[in-house]
Amino acid sequence: MNAGRTARERARAELTEEIKGAARRQLATVGAEALSLRAVSRELGMVSSALYRYFPSRDELLTALIIDAYDALGEAAEAAAGGDDLLAEWVAIYTAVRDWARAHPQEYALIYGSPISGYKAPQTTVEPAIRVPLLLLGLLQRAQASGRLSPPSDAPEPSGLLAQQTEVLVPLAPDLPPAVLVRTVIVWTQLFGMLSFELFGQLVGSMDPADEFFESASRQMAAFVGLT
Amino acid sequence: MNAGRTARERARAELTEEIKGAARRQLATVGAEALSLRAVSRELGMVSSALYRYFPSRDELLTALIIDAYDALGEAAEAAAGGDDLLAEWVAIYTAVRDWARAHPQEYALIYGSPISGYKAPQTTVEPAIRVPLLLLGLLQRAQASGRLSPPSDAPEPSGLLAQQTEVLVPLAPDLPPAVLVRTVIVWTQLFGMLSFELFGQLVGSMDPADEFFESASRQMAAFVGLT
DNA sequence: CCTTGTCAAGAGCACTGCTCTCGATTCTGT
DNA sequence: ACAGAATCGAGAGCAGTGCTCTTGACAAGG
């Protein structure tokens, strides 16, 4: 990817990746809020001020890590997709998301935990952020096409502002009825709410370990959106 | 509450409250991770080392704030309970929880956001933390008693480890069938997942503002647990 | 070759949590 | 009522932080 460039530019690209790698390693051990540029520079054997040649601020480094995290999660989820049994695929996506989150709790907290104080996520993070919900919508779309989607009769038709907001989602899955789109958002929030509760320790004392609960929830949520 | 004590003890109790107040004010503006003992001490016109007479560490101060936040949220939710229409009460609890969270986003992030690095929540936080789910369980219990709870036929009976874990919840609501208990946990995670998404900016571009979506979700989740 | 731009290094600023010591004040047992 | 014990706020100091600015070395392109 960096074939025809000067030695300086190749060195720069390599060092940028090394910095992100070291930052990710430190992130995994001490967490996002304790991520220290000086510690990163120490690990790389350089001086802290030199890092500012590559990332103008700590926030810019965090943004890079956030985008990488969204992409890693999206990739893990997409790798679990495919196959002919749509319900099994649904559960597999849930499991892949959970597995990634449990393997990278600090990166998960970075993207789904409390926003970092004083940090404003740039627009660039939106696209990688919606890979998982997009994947679920795509699956439901395929289910709809093959007649395997039977939206429950009690799913209320959205009206008013809610119907308006649902319109925004239509281009992402044109064939799905609005009621299913709303339920998909509900299911999406449930998935990450459940995950946050597990990772952040809110389930300790009840559903911990959450393996069985998680799978039961994934199947019940599939039924909730009409996937049988 | 502090009638028959010495002047020193009364002063101590008062100052402890003042410290928490100042800390809460600072929390609201700069966030939990940027909460600085020195800034708190500055606001109170005292020296930073003096704070350590009242809270042995920053973490202890955070613990106090966390417990206060759980209690404030629990109180807000409980204040919304009551009345004879159980479904309206259910929606009112949801609304009260959301209103409190939107009014105190940093305190919400403190209790439902990413865990603070290096901070281990003590057992004392568990009891105030479960006030909201307990409230929901109580409501469902009353619905069950008055015959207004009709668990959907497709709610699967928990088995294996999940059944075992569900047992733990039985003392909290002895009359509810296990399947409803599991669904209550699902609903509980959905509520706070939805809230976190709204507050942490994950819904921007789709369901934001989330008023209508939130109410629709609260009603659909009521139906999901069998409340009609 | 030599100018121009890029680089790491180092010193320094203002901040953080936390510890320790020092008098001064207040409480308590006699 | 008074002496000893406990508690208090103040201040200095330690090791760490993000970030800025300056300095001198090096590589790239004309």
Side-chain angles (χ1 to χ4, degrees):
Chain A
M1 63 157 82
N2 45 17
R5 302 312 306 149
T6 84
R8 188 168 256 169
E9 273 172 343
R10 272 188 292 113
R12 182 178 183 83
E14 253 179 51
L15 240 178
T16 305
E17 274 311 307
E18 267 186 58
I19 291 172
K20 283 205 288 184
R24 211 166 3 242
R25 269 191 301 280
Q26 212 205 325
L27 185 69
T29 65
V30 302
E33 75 211 55
L35 202 171
S36 145
L37 286 188
R38 291 177 119 110
V40 170
S41 72
R42 262 196 303 272
E43 180 176 336
L44 295 175
M46 57 201 305
V47 110
S48 70
S49 57
L51 287 191
Y52 288 84
R53 300 258 179 214
Y54 298 88
F55 295 94
S57 73
R58 200 185 94 121
D59 281 6
E60 297 279 337
L61 215 197
L62 281 178
T63 299
L65 294 178
I66 286 173
I67 293 178
D68 283 6
Y70 273 128
D71 275 330
L73 173 59
E75 228 163 279
E78 282 161 18
D84 47 351
D85 185 346
L86 290 171
L87 181 56
E89 192 180 336
W90 176 276
V91 175
I93 292 173
Y94 264 64
T95 306
V97 169
R98 176 167 180 253
D99 286 347
W100 184 90
R102 280 157 49 97
H104 310 87
Q106 299 285 11
E107 289 183 71
Y108 176 89
L110 184 63
I111 51 184
Y112 289 110
S114 359
I116 287 105
S117 154
Y119 173 82
K120 181 83 178 64
Q123 206 60 25
T124 17
T125 61
V126 171
E127 190 222 321
I130 58 175
R131 284 174 71 168
V132 170
L134 233 47
L135 197 59
L136 296 180
L137 280 177
L139 191 152
L140 293 177
Q141 183 98 339
R142 276 182 291 146
Q144 168 88 324
S146 62
R148 298 178 98 100
L149 192 71
S150 44
S153 51
D154 62 332
E157 203 68 22
S159 65
L161 180 58
L162 185 56
Q164 222 176 296
Q165 293 174 327
T166 311
E167 290 278 326
V168 181
L169 304 179
V170 169
L172 306 176
D175 298 342
L176 295 180
V180 170
L181 290 177
V182 173
R183 288 210 161 181
T184 305
V185 180
I186 292 179
V187 158
W188 178 44
T189 59
Q190 195 279 327
L191 166 57
F192 286 99
M194 176 165 60
L195 232 45
S196 294
F197 268 26
E198 180 183 6
L199 289 172
F200 300 165
Q202 220 88 23
L203 290 183
V204 176
S206 54
M207 293 302 174
D208 187 66
D211 300 56
E212 328 263 346
F213 170 67
F214 191 89
E215 197 194 314
S216 177
S218 77
R219 293 188 187 280
Q220 295 196 46
M221 288 296 102
F224 182 71
V225 289
L227 187 65
T228 50
Chain B
M1 64 156 79
N2 44 17
R5 300 316 304 153
T6 81
R8 185 169 258 168
E9 273 171 344
R10 271 188 292 113
R12 181 178 184 83
E14 255 179 50
L15 239 178
T16 305
E17 274 312 306
E18 267 186 58
I19 292 172
K20 282 204 289 184
R24 210 162 9 239
R25 269 191 300 279
Q26 214 205 325
L27 185 68
T29 64
V30 301
E33 77 211 53
L35 201 171
S36 144
L37 285 189
R38 290 178 119 110
V40 170
S41 72
R42 262 196 303 271
E43 179 176 337
L44 295 175
M46 58 202 301
V47 108
S48 72
S49 58
L51 285 192
Y52 287 84
R53 301 263 182 213
Y54 298 87
F55 295 94
S57 75
R58 200 186 94 119
D59 281 6
E60 297 279 336
L61 214 198
L62 282 177
T63 299
L65 294 178
I66 286 172
I67 293 178
D68 283 6
Y70 274 130
D71 275 329
L73 173 60
E75 228 163 278
E78 283 163 17
D84 46 351
D85 185 344
L86 290 171
L87 182 56
E89 191 180 336
W90 176 276
V91 175
I93 292 173
Y94 264 63
T95 306
V97 169
R98 176 168 181 254
D99 286 347
W100 184 91
R102 281 156 49 97
H104 309 87
Q106 298 286 11
E107 288 183 70
Y108 176 88
L110 183 64
I111 53 184
Y112 289 109
S114 1
I116 286 104
S117 153
Y119 173 82
K120 181 81 180 65
Q123 206 59 27
T124 15
T125 61
V126 171
E127 192 221 320
I130 58 175
R131 284 174 71 169
V132 170
L134 233 46
L135 197 58
L136 296 179
L137 280 177
L139 190 152
L140 293 177
Q141 183 96 341
R142 276 181 295 150
Q144 168 86 326
S146 61
R148 298 177 99 101
L149 192 73
S150 44
S153 52
D154 61 332
E157 203 67 22
S159 66
L161 180 58
L162 184 57
Q164 222 174 298
Q165 294 174 327
T166 311
E167 289 277 325
V168 182
L169 304 179
V170 169
L172 305 176
D175 298 343
L176 294 180
V180 171
L181 290 177
V182 173
R183 289 209 159 180
T184 306
V185 180
I186 293 180
V187 158
W188 177 45
T189 59
Q190 195 279 326
L191 166 57
F192 286 100
M194 177 166 56
L195 232 44
S196 294
F197 267 26
E198 181 183 8
L199 289 172
F200 299 166
Q202 221 88 25
L203 290 184
V204 176
S206 53
M207 293 301 174
D208 186 65
D211 301 54
E212 329 263 346
F213 171 66
F214 191 89
E215 196 194 314
S216 176
S218 77
R219 293 188 189 278
Q220 294 197 46
M221 288 296 102
F224 181 72
V225 290
L227 187 65
T228 50

